[in-house]
Amino acid sequence: MMTSRLRTAAFLKSHQNPDGGWGYAPRRRSLVEPTAFAVLALQAGNETAAAGRGLGFLRTCVTPSGAIGLDPRDTEGNWMAYAALLAFHALGAAEEERRVKAWILAFEDASGRFSRSDIAEISTRFRYDASIPGWAWTPRTTAWIEPTALFILALRGAGVPAADKRIRSGIALILDRRVPSGGWNFGNPFSKGYELEATAMSTSLALAALGAAGVAAKRPEVAAGFRYLEGELDAGISTASLAWMLLASRHYPGIARRASGAASLLASLQAGDGGFRDNIFETALASLVLEDAASLKPAAGRIP
Amino acid sequence: MSGARLTRREFGRLLGASALATWPGAGPAEGGAPQYRPAAEGPTLRVALVPCPDYGPETLAAAVREGWRSSRPPEVRGKRVVLKPNMVDVSADRPIHTDPRLLEALVLLLGDLGAREIVLAEGTSHNRDSEDLFRRSGYEALARRRGVRLVDLNYDDIRRVPCADPRATLLKEIALPETIASAEVLVSVPKMKTHKLAGITLSMKNMFGVLPGMVYGWRSWARPRRPASWSWATTRWPWTPRRPGSWDALAVDATAARVMGVDPAHVDYLAMAHRIKLGSLRREDIAVTVGRLDRARTDFALDPEYALLRAREG
């Protein structure tokens, strides 16, 4: 009987593209995020040859400036850089790690481009502070919860201190955009006076980022976020959200009371061929989280 | 969405106007973008306005069949047809996404008409948790029940398409999901509803959801100084229908707006689409078939910011 990790490795290796990368689904074009996570999962399982070929694909995607986006043709760079940084760090690709990290730390969102009146209008209509820098899906656009959380996870995983000003700012953005009744959505807690609903994926990622930055468990936003997620667990939660929730739970064992149940549920979603929903990224992410892999763990350091 | 104050029954009655805009392929125009020109002899655009009193499968099947037959549809026999519903999010107490029962009726009709393949495709625009949304919306169950492929356009393979009409966009090219770029017939199946940033949203704005999130981001506000509706209008229409004469999307939206008690000429992106001749929103260019517009009008509650959109005429 193969272990879960071996089945995951078999699934990933059987779907590796000739260029060394993976798409989100089998037989799809290679992209940075699924490739980086497949590389991390294979490396964690000591499948170094397949991981090395994946790393080779990722190297072809890095521009001299350190920007990295969807694939080798994408020269502007985008949110997928977070995943590449995690992979370069885990596999010891020091030069690529240095360049991509520098690009991420210099990433410009739209916060510096808003006028005072823009910021005032956004504050009135959507009730958040648009002047706080975070990370966007694409450069020079508005920062949102999920890309900000993903970049914080990657930077902390790559050893950037929690006290770094970009990380502190990202954490401030996440806390500022919380939904008052608990949890987070994409980043608009309100629209024209109406509170907008939280979502499981945004909440899971926000809590994982707060945990990676060492934000204290006593913060009310943390407890409210987990209360929201526990309700979602009962209602039904997606594979990726469940995995991110489990990652977040590891930082807050005293609050995340249902972490073991979440782990069992996630493990039960693995198909016979080793995949999760026939999705490369979700398979690798679930495997890494279930195995409590070192590559998704942050360096030491806290924000009080 | 304030439009959701209407009851489901009232929504159902308006279904015919809201349902369908079709394109015989969504590729870039060859040799530049064709432009709509009104004919001297009268209305050249046809929109079917079909009464549909409930969501029962027989009622829906009859309404969809009547609407399809009466609206000069493209040939679908032997073709790959992509249905693009509107599903930004799912709300337990407000109908804000295209009802799967309508989609199912359409799937069955297209099957009867001999479509080679039917694909249900959506790229949610701010909540990227498509597994959760496809499940809660009922689309996953529908796809399984009817054997249609369900595609998350946000993560589809990408085809970069040059923009045919430089007046319509700031972008020189656009990344389209392969599912959309390779569709032989593309059907927009929107939800008639009001919208907090655009006033109303119908079949054209529904196509905002074909922009892949992994390329453009989820909820991208690319240009903070621009009004959002302007940005949407320009980023959604970088390509135009391959065959001249398929202008009906704007006519559908103009008609649906009138059903909602909205003057389409006051809706920024519809007015812009008319101005650059993607079609026409003028009453005299549109022949409404089956039902009557004056009997279907049911004023949707507009956000106070968009009160000026309200149509004064009947």
Side-chain angles (χ1 to χ4, degrees), chain A residues 32-83:
Chain A
V32 164
E33 191 193 40
T35 298
F37 272 75
V39 162
L40 291 169
L42 289 168
Q43 179 76 2
N46 296 316
E47 300 281 356
T48 53
R53 287 197 297 279
L55 179 65
F57 171 80
L58 293 175
R59 282 184 157 132
T60 67
C61 301
V62 186
T63 66
S65 70
I68 181 168
L70 297 179
D71 57 26
R73 291 168 296 176
D74 185 345
T75 56
E76 192 184 18
N78 74 6
W79 63 282
M80 289 196 187
Y82 93 92

Side-chain angles (χ1 to χ4, degrees), chain B:
Chain B
M1 302 293 168
S2 50
R5 290 179 194 171
L6 288 170
T7 64
R8 280 178 176 273
R9 180 170 293 275
E10 286 167 330
F11 264 101
R13 192 162 60 81
L14 303 176
L15 192 64
S18 74
L20 308 173
T22 59
W23 290 265
E30 291 155 2
Q35 297 182 19
Y36 172 78
R37 287 187 175 78
E41 63 271 20
T44 56
L45 307 172
R46 190 186 298 180
V47 174
L49 184 61
V50 184
C52 185
D54 61 59
Y55 276 80
E58 289 85 12
T59 315
L60 275 170
V64 167
R65 188 173 296 276
E66 174 70 1
W68 188 269
R69 188 184 61 76
S70 308
S71 60
R72 209 155 43 199
E75 176 61 64
V76 297
R77 181 169 298 281
K79 293 187 175 172
R80 185 165 167 274
V81 182
V82 175
L83 304 181
K84 166 64 179 72
N86 178 259
M87 200 245 318
V88 175
D89 211 333
V90 175
S91 171
D93 57 351
R94 292 184 172 209
I96 60 172
H97 68 284
T98 304
D99 195 298
R101 291 170 291 183
L102 169 62
L103 293 167
E104 187 157 17
L106 194 51
V107 165
L108 292 171
L109 172 68
L110 291 167
D112 290 347
L113 293 173
R116 185 180 83 251
E117 185 188 7
I118 303 167
V119 180
L120 183 57
E122 174 61 298
T124 54
S125 63
H126 62 252
N127 181 352
R128 67 188 181 119
D129 197 347
S130 59
E131 181 189 350
D132 178 59
L133 291 174
F134 284 162
R135 186 163 50 210
R136 287 196 290 129
S137 63
Y139 294 177
E140 183 185 88
L142 160 63
R144 196 181 305 117
R145 192 163 58 242
R146 295 300 174 192
V148 302
R149 196 154 59 87
L150 182 59
V151 175
D152 181 353
L153 296 173
N154 285 321
Y155 295 102
D156 201 12
D157 280 345
I158 295 301
R159 190 190 297 183
R160 294 191 183 274
V161 177
C163 294
D165 187 344
R167 299 167 309 157
T169 181
L170 296 174
L171 302 174
K172 297 302 177 197
E173 66 169 25
I174 192 162
L176 282 182
E178 189 61 41
T179 299
I180 298 297
S182 64
E184 292 171 285
V185 176
L186 176 61
V187 186
S188 178
V189 197
K191 183 75 182 174
M192 277 172 78
K193 59 188 178 185
T194 58
H195 193 278
K196 289 198 177 298
L197 298 175
I200 58 172
T201 171
L202 295 161
S203 72
M204 290 173 63
K205 208 187 81 55
N206 181 37
M207 301 310 287
F208 189 55
V210 307
L211 293 179
M214 71 174 184
V215 178
Y216 296 106
W218 287 259
R219 189 90 183 198
S220 277
W221 288 21
R223 301 185 185 279
R225 301 278 177 90
R226 305 275 192 191
S229 57
W230 182 91
S231 178
W232 290 354
T234 53
T235 57
R236 283 183 315 101
W237 289 105
W239 80 91
T240 49
R242 191 183 296 276
R243 296 181 191 166
S246 301
W247 311 108
D248 304 47
L250 182 54
V252 165
D253 284 7
T255 304
R258 291 183 174 112
V259 169
M260 297 166 78
V262 166
D263 185 342
H266 291 167
V267 180
D268 283 352
Y269 67 92
L270 296 181
M272 181 181 185
H274 176 87
R275 201 163 55 245
I276 65 174
K277 296 186 170 56
L278 286 179
S280 175
L281 47 71
R282 300 193 315 159
R283 281 175 187 270
E284 52 269 41
D285 293 334
I286 303 168
V288 175
T289 64
V290 188
R292 283 180 50 175
L293 193 51
D294 56 341
R295 291 183 183 166
R297 176 168 170 169
T298 305
D299 289 3
F300 280 38
L302 296 169
D303 186 288
E305 186 176 338
Y306 292 100
L308 291 174
L309 301 187
R310 178 68 72 215
R312 292 188 180 159
E313 56 185 311

